[in-house]
Amino acid sequence: MKRREMLTLLGGALVSGALRAARAQTPQPSQTPAFDGLAARDPWLAGWKTFGRESVGPTSATLEGRWPGSLSGTLYRNGPGWFDRAGFRYQHWFDGDGLMQGWRIGGGGVTHTARMIGTYKFLQEQRSGKFELPAAGTLIENPRTIRNNDDVNTANTAVVRLGKRVFALWEGGSAIEIDPQSLQTRGPVTWREDLVAAPFSAHPLLERDGSAWNFGSLAFFRGSGLIIWRIEADGRLGKFQVLDTPEPGYVHAFAMTPRHLVFMLMPFNLSKVDGAFFQRMQFQPNKPCRVALVPKDELDAPRWFECDFATAYHFGDAFERGDEVIMRVVRHRDVEEARSPMASAMRGERGSNTLGTDLASLHLNLKSGAARWQAHGIEGVEFPTFDERTPGDQAARLFAPCNVGKADAPYFNGVASIDAEHGRVRQWRYGARILAEEHRFVPKPGSSRPGEGWLIGTLLDYEHGRSGVTLLDAEHVDDGPIATAWVPYTTPLGFHGWFAAS
Amino acid sequence: MKMQLMFPAMILTALATAAPLAQAGDLTVSITNVRADKGTLLVSVTNTEAGWNNQEKPVAATKVAATGKDAVVHFTLPAGSYAVQVMHDENDNGKMDTNFMGIPSEGYGFSNNPQVMRKAHFSEAKFDIGDAASSITITLR
């Protein structure tokens, strides 16, 4: 980390461009007051439509199939839920304010609750009726000045339960604690006084003892470097380490083996033009990605690798075999699409197609120090999950939303179970007019065999104007859902969820 | 490792030592967007670059308890150019709290409310007052 540089720049890249731009009075191409009209014409756009209420529910869902009596808990889901105010619409999907949802399963029923997360930003803008704080991917004209990065924290990316506490996560600021029952917002979490507002990213990984690893990228603050966090099972801060990185790199998530944390940093520059962070961000495909292999017991002693450039938000499992550490990566082929995923949908347009991705393995050779990509020929997947009980020297089966057959909307319409090592994929197609989201793996109670469990995922059935939660047997994905539950309204698509067994 | 966004020690010193000035006009400073109903608002006035940069004492300073979303303080100053900074010492520990990166966790603001993500420069916060009464509003961030 170039601390001196970062210190002088305070809140940095995430917001400074927007502040400069405010004076430039740049035209706002993102004003699309007609989005609701477009959504009426193309109902699949319900996935990117503003939620428009502070909360809904709890709503009893209509059940299909047979929900197992042994499954009891809450599927929390988080994602951007508020895109328009006063006739102004965000351009970037990542800008929307966080909407927390809870699908509560048990006692023979399923209920759904959704509630906008009460961040500082959301509350201020709800009061004023307009967007007035800087956003990550859209220029806001004449924004209010901010105290620090948590003033623009939308808490819109993911959700995790650590111990008995539930947190909404973003990547440029604090975790925001949420009441596990009511979904009401308790506020930002400070793990230690000197770490207030330090970035706590959206994809923590849990050890079997309930402790969690996470990171925070300092690249948002116009420096470089990573914070590494370890939160103990009781919610105490266990470890905190600042890792210097060779140059600024974008990193959204990471993977781990029993011994190592693995961070892949994608080189980028921030252009000099005025704009929000993701408007100024330019990936550098001519440069390699830097990969840090960090021993869990020596956080200050990373080993660095270089691999051919790729853009990736999400990683699957990682494992160690022989001299290699192997990490599964969902690569985005188009760097522009990676910079602003589903930008067409945000504009109310169909665009070219679903996210252009492929699944690959990144091999880090501990003996030679070389890194190489292995493509698996599996395309059009995202949001991978797996059974975390998989032994650390074995490849896990991955589960991911995918495209299967005809789809009337440019988004996932199925779910895949992927054995990448053997090139075997099992799929289930929900239909041409159903959008499929991330599916979480839930071990069956009493099971110990890796892979023995359910997949629980969420759906948006735009033909019938309903959102739902569905359950499949993870070992028989191609048999389709065991059970589904629907509510008679739609909610915007989210990014990530977390199943918390009760 | 602290970012020198504000100069709380200077403000506190000035509270005890700022001298009354001759030939005065009234300056009213309205402070808005006070986020926490606790602690103290520390307000200092400087009239030189050196004063703004902590190399000279402020020409005036005061403090007021934070008891609502807004506060008003008054100064009596001769005509001239000045810059005002406000710090909300929410926990009354006499300093601007920051995290390990130097990013503030307590409120602050500058005259002219410049849209910068750092301590404003004197030139950005500077304003003129004459002999007549005048007023400014500082919106805390």
Side-chain angles (χ1 to χ4, degrees), chain A residues 297-356:
Chain A
D297 57 357
E298 284 186 293
L299 297 180
D300 59 346
R303 181 167 177 190
W304 288 94
F305 296 77
E306 287 186 6
C307 67
D308 289 344
F309 177 86
T311 49
Y313 282 101
H314 301 122
F315 304 89
D317 61 321
F319 57 98
E320 303 196 21
R321 182 180 291 164
D323 295 328
E324 287 192 323
V325 172
I326 302 163
M327 174 171 73
R328 319 303 192 82
V329 184
V330 175
R331 301 187 295 192
H332 286 241
R333 279 194 296 270
D334 181 340
V335 292
E336 176 55 23
E337 181 269 333
R339 192 190 59 75
S340 186
M342 300 305 295
S344 301
M346 283 296 292
R347 290 193 300 270
E349 299 167 3
R350 177 167 294 270
S352 54
N353 212 333
T354 307
L355 302 170

Side-chain angles (χ1 to χ4, degrees), chain B residues 45-95:
Chain B
V45 183
T46 55
N47 63 353
T48 63
E49 182 100 33
W52 186 259
N53 293 328
N54 205 24
Q55 292 156 354
E56 291 175 0
K57 287 178 185 170
V59 296
T62 190
K63 63 179 180 179
V64 60
T67 55
K69 292 187 185 312
D70 306 299
V72 178
V73 296
H74 300 278
F75 295 97
T76 303
L77 301 165
S81 293
Y82 297 93
V84 181
Q85 57 183 292
V86 183
M87 168 192 149
H88 184 183
D89 184 9
E90 294 181 15
N91 56 6
D92 278 329
N93 66 353
K95 64 175 186 175

Side-chain angles (χ1 to χ4, degrees), chain A residues 129-150:
Chain A
K130 60 184 180 182
F131 291 130
E132 55 185 18
L133 285 156
T138 304
L139 194 63
I140 301 300
E141 209 167 345
N142 296 317
R144 288 173 55 161
T145 51
I146 64 169
R147 177 182 299 181
N148 60 36
N149 43 309
D150 267 349

Side-chain angles (χ1 to χ4, degrees), chain A residues 374-415:
Chain A
Q374 174 193 7
H376 293 298
I378 296 164
E379 301 191 342
V381 294
E382 244 298 6
F383 308 118
T385 59
F386 57 96
D387 185 352
E388 291 165 5
R389 299 175 301 180
T390 308
D393 61 352
Q394 291 179 22
R397 183 177 292 273
L398 297 174
F399 307 102
C402 66
N403 288 115
V404 193
K406 180 177 178 288
D408 286 350
Y411 204 69
F412 305 114
N413 70 335
V415 61

Side-chain angles (χ1 to χ4, degrees), chain A residues 1 3 6-12 15-16 19 22-23 120 124 142-149 151 193-199 218 221 227 240 242, chain B residues 1-5 33-36 69 88 90-91 96-108 113-119 124 139-141:
Chain A
M1 179 182 59
R3 288 181 188 170
M6 191 176 65
L7 290 174
T8 58
L9 289 163
L10 182 54
V15 291
S16 63
L19 294 175
R23 293 191 294 279
Y120 174 79
Q124 293 297 312
N142 296 317
R144 288 173 55 161
T145 51
I146 64 169
R147 177 182 299 181
N148 60 36
N149 43 309
D151 282 3
E193 278 309 309
D194 63 325
L195 303 178
V196 60
L218 299 177
F221 301 84
I227 292 170
F240 174 82
V242 176
Chain B
M1 194 157 87
K2 300 288 181 191
M3 187 191 67
Q4 293 195 334
L5 179 70
N33 198 36
V34 180
R35 295 196 199 177
K69 292 187 185 312
H88 184 183
E90 294 181 15
N91 56 6
M96 178 73 166
D97 290 346
T98 64
N99 69 13
F100 81 109
M101 296 184 284
I103 293 177
S105 56
E106 295 183 304
Y108 59 94
N113 301 302
Q115 288 191 319
V116 293
M117 285 299 299
R118 51 171 165 72
K119 182 185 176 183
E124 294 165 331
T139 303
L140 295 193
R141 54 177 80 183

